[in-house]
């Protein structure tokens, strides 16, 4: 029965848990939105260039457009073209046009010479009707940006599944898009479970603590542009948790709770998820901290309840390994898994500090900060690695992944895991 199914273990590897979760999640529907609000969304369509960028041959410098075959020689300036004005006629033999950076190069011209290499006969400053002299040959295409050389019309520019950042906004706007089709971002509610929790400036009675996980999770998601709200706290009572979860899941796509997932007397969240008609995808993950992180989804994959540990560092680790990737997946990213890099470990706390040998084959996740030492990537392990220590957050921007059968120390090469999605 339920108790039996949810009892401890077997532990599934982190990668299997991620895969199982992604397989169950349904990407949000698509919507057409103005480019101005597209930042952070994921493209739901491939983008082809609808036109050439740049749309005309243009000058790369302030100077004179000319026919390379006419120089060295003396040329007559027949037109003046600031950026934004179009030539009235093609250049003929012996003619030049005064052009500013970004201005169209007249038909017939195949090079631009910057002012700095032009000689001006006495009385000439190179205005319309005056002459200029080029004492040297100029190669064809010199300082000319050809029409379509940046984005040729009809070519693929961006793929569906790409998250839109500043670079993508630049390209889409240059291509003339005012609206684009994106996936709707999943909305999230963060709920902290625990009788002992309060929020500042409430007074603490003995044995009470302030909520750290709620603000952390809200911040982690808001930083990455996900619509998230803090839904406050709920006591460790089955009916309260189930009722609150049902209410919140009416409104949002994803519920993230912290606390109540271990094997203590009040650790009832995984049961509450089933009581709220969700299906548990995983319950025990072969990782430490965070081994009883639980994921449950609605049968149609449209709703996710991710139940993280109450211990803040365990919630921190699981948020990076499961919550952010799941949100990236739901919001349409094709490759939501965290990046893995190699780095040299410094300040390794060693396995003893985390409480002795591990009774199960659990992958350990230290927290640390990545930096460069010359050309070598180095990760400084946070000073304290135990699960209840919030101070370790301040020393961390990556996870250090240590396989269960390995003990690491100062100077060892380790894998660091960083969630790329934003
Ligand atoms: N007999 C066992 N005991 C424990 C096990 C185990 O396997 N067998 N697992 C331990 C591990 S590992 C962890 S981690 C904790 C996790 O417990 P829960 O996720 O069920 O979390 P709680 O019991 O609700 O709380 C744990 C701890 O965290 C504090 N907490 C809770 N919420 C917050 C919050 N929002 N902000 C700050 N701190 C919070 C809470 O007061 C507890 O101190 O269980 C071990 N026990
Ligand atoms: O999840 Mo607990 O934090 O493994 O130690």
């Amino acid at each position: 029965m339920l108790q039996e199914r949810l009892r401890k273990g077997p532990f599934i590897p982190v990668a299997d848990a991620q895969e199982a979760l992604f397989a169950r999640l349904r990407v949000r529907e698509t919507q057409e939105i103005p480019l101005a609000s597209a930042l952070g969304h994921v493209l739901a369509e491939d983008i082809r260039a609808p036109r050439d960028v740049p749309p005309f041959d243009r000058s790369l410098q302030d100077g004179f457009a000319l026919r390379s075959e006419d120089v060295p020689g003396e040329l007559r300036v027949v037109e003046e073209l600031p950026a934004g004005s179009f030539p009235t006629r093609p250049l003929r033999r012996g003619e030049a046009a005064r052009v500013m950076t970004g201005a169209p190069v007249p038909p017939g011209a195949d090079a631009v010479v910057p002012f700095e290499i032009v000689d001006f006969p006495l009385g000439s400053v190179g205005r319309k009707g005056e002459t200029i002299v080029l004492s040297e040959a100029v190669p064809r295409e010199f300082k000319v940006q050809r029409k379509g050389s940046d984005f040729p019309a009809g070519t693929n520019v961006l793929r569906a599944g790409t998250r839109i950042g500043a670079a993508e906004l630049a390209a889409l706007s240059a291509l003339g898009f005012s609206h684009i089709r994106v996936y709707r971002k999943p909305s999230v509610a963060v709920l902290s479970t625990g009788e002992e929790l309060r929020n500042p400036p409430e007074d603490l009675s003995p044995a009470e603590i302030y909520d750290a996980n709620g603000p952390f999770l809200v911040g982690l998601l808001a930083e990455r542009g996900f619509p998230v709200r803090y839904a406050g706290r709920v006591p460790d009572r089955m009916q309260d948790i189930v009722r609150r979860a049902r209410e919140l899941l009416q409104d949002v796509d994803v519920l993230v709770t912290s606390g109540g997932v271990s094997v203590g007397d009040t650790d009832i969240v995984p049961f509450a998820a089933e009581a709220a008609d969700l299906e548990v995808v995983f319950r025990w993950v072969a990782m430490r901290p965070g081994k009883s992180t639980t994921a449950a989804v609605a049968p149609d994959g449209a709703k996710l309840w991710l139940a993280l540990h109450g211990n803040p560092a365990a919630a921190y680790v699981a948020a990076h390994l499961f919550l952010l990737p799941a949100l990236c997946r739901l919001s349409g990213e094709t490759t939501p898994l965290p990046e893995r890099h190699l780095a040299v470990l410094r300040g390794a706390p060693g396995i003893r500090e985390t409480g002795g040998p591990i009774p199960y084959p659990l992958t350990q996740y230290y927290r640390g900060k990545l930096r460069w030492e010359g050309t070598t990537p180095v990760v400084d392990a946070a000073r304290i690695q135990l699960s209840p220590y919030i101070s370790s957050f301040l020393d961390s921007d990556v996870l250090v992944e240590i396989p269960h059968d390995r003990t690491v120390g100062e100077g060892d090469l380790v894998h660091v895991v960083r969630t790329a999605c934003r």
Side-chain angles (χ1 to χ4, degrees):
M1 56 156 294
L2 192 64
Q3 291 282 348
E4 184 54 26
R5 259 189 299 134
L6 294 180
R7 85 181 177 351
K8 207 158 185 173
F11 290 94
I12 68 166
V14 171
D16 293 1
Q18 287 167 328
E19 198 179 307
L21 182 57
F22 297 159
R24 293 296 306 275
L25 296 176
R26 209 181 65 203
V27 175
R28 304 299 79 172
E29 66 278 6
T30 68
Q31 54 186 173
E32 185 130 317
I33 60 169
L35 193 61
S37 32
L39 184 70
H41 282 84
V42 174
L43 271 174
E45 55 185 350
D46 290 339
I47 297 290
R48 279 169 165 273
R51 54 171 57 80
D52 279 323
V53 172
F56 50 85
D57 297 337
R58 65 209 288 244
S59 172
L60 289 171
Q61 298 234 306
D62 302 319
F64 297 93
L66 48 74
R67 296 153 28 113
S68 55
E69 67 198 63
D70 291 349
V71 293
E74 183 171 305
L75 305 171
R76 194 163 59 84
V77 180
V78 295
E79 194 150 28
E80 295 193 12
L81 298 169
S85 64
F86 202 77
T88 55
R89 64 177 186 76
L91 277 196
R92 299 192 198 104
R93 178 184 293 276
E95 292 180 347
R98 187 181 176 93
V99 288
M100 299 303 115
T101 305
V105 167
D110 62 2
V112 169
V113 289
F115 287 135
E116 293 88 326
I117 66 165
V118 173
D119 294 321
F120 298 97
L122 204 58
S124 168
V125 287
R127 313 299 313 204
K128 187 174 173 182
E130 298 176 344
T131 56
I132 58 169
V133 173
L134 266 293
S135 53
E136 283 175 46
V138 174
R140 295 185 60 189
E141 303 301 318
F142 191 65
K143 302 298 181 192
V144 174
Q145 186 192 17
R146 283 295 175 194
K147 171 182 173 168
S149 59
D150 201 353
F151 298 115
T155 53
N156 288 319
V157 177
L158 293 167
R159 291 206 169 283
T162 304
R163 193 168 290 276
I164 298 167
E168 287 72 21
L169 288 180
L172 289 162
S173 181
L175 289 163
F177 287 91
S178 66
H179 286 74
I180 47 165
R181 185 156 286 280
V182 296
Y183 294 101
R184 183 172 65 73
K185 284 186 187 179
S187 54
V188 188
V190 171
L191 181 66
S192 300
T193 73
E195 223 75 55
E196 73 281 24
L197 299 178
R198 292 285 171 268
N199 294 104
E202 292 175 282
D203 286 333
L204 293 182
S205 50
E208 289 181 345
I209 57 167
Y210 289 123
D211 182 3
N213 295 340
F216 166 69
L217 293 165
V218 169
L220 185 74
L221 304 186
E223 256 177 9
R224 287 163 174 78
F226 291 109
V228 56
R229 71 182 157 103
Y230 179 51
R233 311 164 328 225
V234 65
D236 301 306
R237 277 194 301 273
M238 188 67 156
Q239 69 273 27
D240 291 329
I241 297 179
V242 174
R243 183 183 45 76
R244 200 74 186 95
R246 279 190 192 280
E247 279 167 15
L248 291 167
L249 284 169
Q250 295 274 317
D251 289 350
V252 297
D253 302 305
V254 177
L255 171 63
V256 192
T257 57
S258 65
V261 291
S262 192
V263 294
D265 296 341
T266 55
D267 293 339
I268 52 177
V269 168
F271 306 102
E274 289 219 331
D277 299 324
L278 301 184
E279 297 168 3
V280 172
V281 181
F282 57 78
R283 169 71 180 106
W284 299 105
V285 188
M287 60 190 269
R288 174 176 168 166
K291 62 184 180 295
S292 37
T293 304
T294 300
V297 296
D300 66 357
K303 304 279 178 179
L304 164 66
W305 181 345
L306 191 65
L308 309 177
H309 281 241
N311 265 336
Y316 180 102
V317 169
H320 283 88
L321 292 177
F322 298 111
L323 176 60
L324 290 175
L327 291 177
C328 289
R329 179 83 201 113
L330 283 167
S331 56
E333 260 189 45
T334 39
T335 50
L337 279 176
E339 295 170 352
R340 289 156 61 85
H341 303 278
L342 284 169
V344 173
L345 187 63
R346 295 259 187 266
I351 206 159
R352 260 168 295 118
E353 200 190 325
T354 61
I358 308 175
Y360 321 96
L362 307 181
T363 303
Q364 289 228 60
Y365 289 91
Y366 290 159
R367 274 79 60 209
K369 218 166 216 174
L370 196 58
R371 65 182 168 87
W372 291 94
E373 241 174 44
T375 53
T376 308
V378 164
V379 59
D380 293 310
R383 202 169 40 87
I384 304 178
Q385 294 289 343
L386 296 170
S387 288
Y389 284 76
I390 300 156
S391 49
S392 71
F393 288 27
L394 305 177
D395 298 331
S396 307
D397 57 13
V398 291
L399 303 179
V400 180
E401 187 180 77
I402 314 290
H404 70 89
D405 52 0
R406 208 181 145 199
T407 306
V408 293
E410 183 75 20
D412 286 347
L413 205 56
V414 291
H415 271 116
V416 299
V417 177
R418 180 163 61 181
T419 306
C421 100
R422 51 192 80 260

